[in-house]
Amino acid sequence: MKKIFIYLFASLFLSSCNYLDVVPDDSPTLADEFRNENTAENFVYSIYSFIPQVNHVRNDVDRATTNEMVGSNHWTKDYFNFIRFQQGDQNPSSVVNDIWANNYRGIRQAYIFLNNIESVKPLTIPQEEYDAKKKVWIAEAKFLIAYFHFYLLEHYGPVVLIDKEIPTTATLEEMSLPRRPYDECVAFIAKLIDEAIVDLPRTVDASNLGRATKVAAQSIKSKMYLNAASPLWNGNAEFYSDFKNKDGEQLVNLTYDKEKWKKAMDETQKAILMAEEVGSKLYEYTKTNITNPFDKAVMSTRWQMVDPWNSELIWGYSGKRESDDANSSFQYIAIPIGWRTGPPYGALAATLTAVELFYSKNGIPADKDPNYDWTNRFQMASGLPAGQETIKLHTEREPRFYAYIGYDRGKYEISSTTRTLLLKAGETNGMKSFTSDHFFSGYAIKKGVHPDTRVDATAFTQTNYPFPIVRLAELYLNYAEASANYSNSLDANGLKYINAVRTRAGIPGIFEANGNLAGADLIKAIQRERMIELMFEGQWSRDLKRWKLAESYYAIDRNGLKGLYSRGRTAQDFYKPTVLEKKELIFDKKHYLLPINQTYVNNNVNLVQNPNW
């Protein structure tokens, strides 16, 4: 939505040191923003501009901050904020990305709109048409207030709830609001979304893609209720028994409630049905005729994230485009070097941890597949065509492996064609020097790179796409996870939904592949399915935290993320599993929640800091 950023400057006057005190008293200027229907709609666009830029790979708090990706050897935390997250290098006095302030500014902007929209007189359209538009704008503002609160809740836990515009003349006491209990935050957000859904459109036309719809709003409720049912927030006395306001009010319910999983199931089912009613379905590649089912699954999962506004995308980030800012662009730093002089710089790589997670072609963990030679996975595979010689780890894997990962001697779709990656040191796409940009792990990332992005001797032209905030596959997996946790099994819908994701991925159904899983084994299998399907989309960070597994899962890389030996010039050297120096992943209990900027805690006498910070 280019309109969003055309009108971003309308909201720049909101900048302030106090996250609740972000609006000036320039009444004539404010009145000018609401003088007619055009300026009022522009103000709506300005609210959207506060949606966190989730496609900004350097700064996003989730996407590259896990053990999915690793930067080039010489990259440091001084230039890449995601490395600061990986290395645990932040504290309340030096936060990495102050999303607390930005989201509260968005909330404030939305309330300004709601408090001034009634003063607008239509200039170029009939009153009846204007009234219809106004109802939608008000619904959008309410939804965005809810979404900003949801985003804060997801990353900070219990937050300060803002239910009205706080005037700039308010006293310090009136501005010093305490955090509210987690369950109260959930109820507050759900109420706002329910109010918004009444008047939000079912769908939007091509000129308004990225604006809120009923389906997008209900999908955010699905995500929120899944979070609320998960171990991090559902009876987590281990972490949060002392998480209280200054008056002693408990901020997290310490008693486990199984029914929260049922609530997550019900709200997710509503979202799925709403989505399917307007034509949403899992993405299927149809650009060329492919008859081989395996190859079809590779191309469907290769394109499902990047084909703009396809049938699977429920809601996508459509603010700043990657091509507008090289510093924020994933494609700019993830597409391999060697095909031209200059950018792209081929320096953001998939880790060995990510590579090994994919299933075998039989749809089960490769290390558990009796027909897969996991023990000898780093040995050269036999029987491969000339020019495609590689290790066993890269053979006999599921289609998503070939859709998401670029490996030495493997295929890479770019410039509307397919090339072969040559990733050993000194080769076309490999390391030129240890202190220059290269894939430190020896792997490229294909997912998130648009195959039509042009990279040749004369040009590098990125093809933009909306980054997924919610897609239908996630809703399907949300339901399956909630179902498994509620009854230790999958109900009919849960089985249907997870198998739909697996079928699109070209692998057998979950029980067909794994046998009759139940209880903890079933939950573990669904968690792995999510991690594979949603890899490189910023979901690992959120999921591993809400499952209370982040600390243990990241511990395997505490001494260094893992890859191949990028300095190797021969197969024998290159294909060695390697702990990557100076790429440690530090995650302690405090990192489950982001720290609140200490300035806000100091200014608000009722605001408590997050645990262990």
Side-chain angles (χ1 to χ4, degrees), residues 295-497:
D295 294 340
K296 179 69 173 286
V298 171
M299 293 305 286
S300 291
T301 51
R302 175 73 178 86
W303 278 83
Q304 50 84 2
M305 178 176 168
V306 299
D307 200 353
W309 302 111
N310 65 69
S311 63
E312 185 170 342
L313 185 62
I314 302 296
W315 191 33
Y317 175 79
S318 53
K320 289 184 178 179
R321 303 178 305 171
E322 281 197 302
S323 61
D324 292 337
D325 180 9
N327 285 327
S328 70
S329 170
F330 171 78
Q331 297 188 76
Y332 193 85
I333 57 178
I335 295 173
I337 59 173
W339 293 320
R340 68 185 309 270
T341 301
Y345 290 120
L348 187 63
T351 63
L352 187 58
T353 298
V355 166
E356 293 190 331
L357 192 71
F358 290 92
Y359 303 135
S360 72
K361 67 178 183 180
N362 298 313
I364 58 177
D367 62 331
K368 305 297 183 184
D369 190 336
N371 298 312
Y372 195 91
D373 190 8
W374 185 256
T375 300
N376 299 309
R377 63 192 181 279
F378 294 106
Q379 293 182 8
M380 298 298 293
S382 60
L384 296 177
Q388 297 180 30
E389 301 90 343
T390 191
I391 54 176
K392 293 180 179 181
L393 180 64
H394 304 155
T395 65
E396 304 294 310
R397 305 300 292 276
E398 62 158 307
R400 285 177 296 196
F401 171 78
Y402 302 99
Y404 294 6
I405 302 295
Y407 60 91
D408 183 45
R409 270 57 186 175
K411 296 178 180 179
Y412 194 94
E413 302 82 19
I414 198 71
S415 295
S416 304
T417 188
T418 300
R419 296 170 177 165
T420 298
L421 289 175
L422 304 174
L423 291 172
K424 295 184 183 71
E427 294 186 327
T428 301
N429 312 115
M431 185 199 75
K432 302 303 185 287
S433 74
F434 193 52
T435 56
S436 64
D437 290 323
H438 70 283
F439 295 134
F440 193 17
S441 71
Y443 288 104
I445 301 170
K446 294 166 65 174
K447 186 178 182 181
V449 171
H450 199 294
D452 288 342
T453 285
R454 181 182 173 188
V455 183
D456 56 37
T458 60
F460 169 43
T461 307
Q462 297 184 68
T463 300
N464 297 297
Y465 59 89
F467 191 87
I469 296 175
V470 190
R471 55 187 180 93
L472 186 61
E474 181 187 352
L475 294 181
Y476 283 175
L477 294 172
N478 285 2
Y479 187 96
E481 181 185 337
S483 174
N485 277 277
Y486 184 64
S487 59
N488 290 319
S489 62
L490 287 173
D491 67 8
N493 281 329
L495 182 60
K496 177 178 72 171
Y497 294 147

Side-chain angles (χ1 to χ4, degrees), residues 584-602:
E584 61 273 11
L585 181 63
I586 306 299
F587 191 96
D588 299 316
K589 190 170 293 185
K590 65 183 179 181
H591 294 118
Y592 277 95
L593 302 178
L594 295 179
I596 300 172
N597 189 314
Q598 191 61 40
T599 299
Y600 309 146
V601 177
N602 294 342

